[in-house]
Amino acid sequence: DKAVALAPDNLAARFNRGSMHFNARRFGLALADFERCVAVDPHAAPPHFNLAMTRAQLGDRAGAVADLRRFLELAQSTQWRDLAEKKLAELSTPAQAEGEQK
């Protein structure tokens, strides 16, 4: 929190704090940090992935899908791209959507 207070646009501080919020299931706070990361550097791939996972936890499937697609445009790592493609497929399946509605 202090690092973000001292440098609100510091990507590493925001990303790390957002990850800590996510892991503590404080998804609203994580969302705000990851959105700020994307605003500060829209070409950095990792915040898009974390933003997508946060949106998915909050029930925003369309937002999560859009963020994963943007991540795939930017990401270089085959391992992370594979994971993102798997998550994208999960979020895009009708059975998954029906299961969430029950």
Side-chain angles (χ1 to χ4, degrees), residues 1 4 8 10-11 13-22 27-40 47 51:
D1 290 337
V4 171
N10 181 294
L11 192 65
R14 284 276 179 183
F15 186 85
N16 289 338
R17 187 174 77 172
S19 297
M20 290 171 28
H21 286 312
F22 184 91
F27 300 120
L29 295 172
L31 181 72
D33 279 336
F34 295 135
E35 285 178 333
R36 183 72 175 258
C37 287
V38 168
V40 169
L51 185 55

Side-chain angles (χ1 to χ4, degrees), residues 27-63:
F27 300 120
L29 295 172
L31 181 72
D33 279 336
F34 295 135
E35 285 178 333
R36 183 72 175 258
C37 287
V38 168
V40 169
D41 186 356
H43 302 291
H48 288 281
F49 183 87
N50 285 24
L51 185 55
M53 296 301 95
T54 303
R55 289 191 201 280
Q57 287 295 321
L58 292 169
D60 179 4
R61 293 171 60 85

Side-chain angles (χ1 to χ4, degrees), residues 2 5 24 28-29 38 43 50 68 73-74 77 79 84 89 92 101:
K2 187 169 184 170
L29 295 172
V38 168
H43 302 291
N50 285 24
L68 282 172
E73 291 173 3
L74 299 169
S77 166
Q79 179 182 3
S92 299
Q101 292 174 356

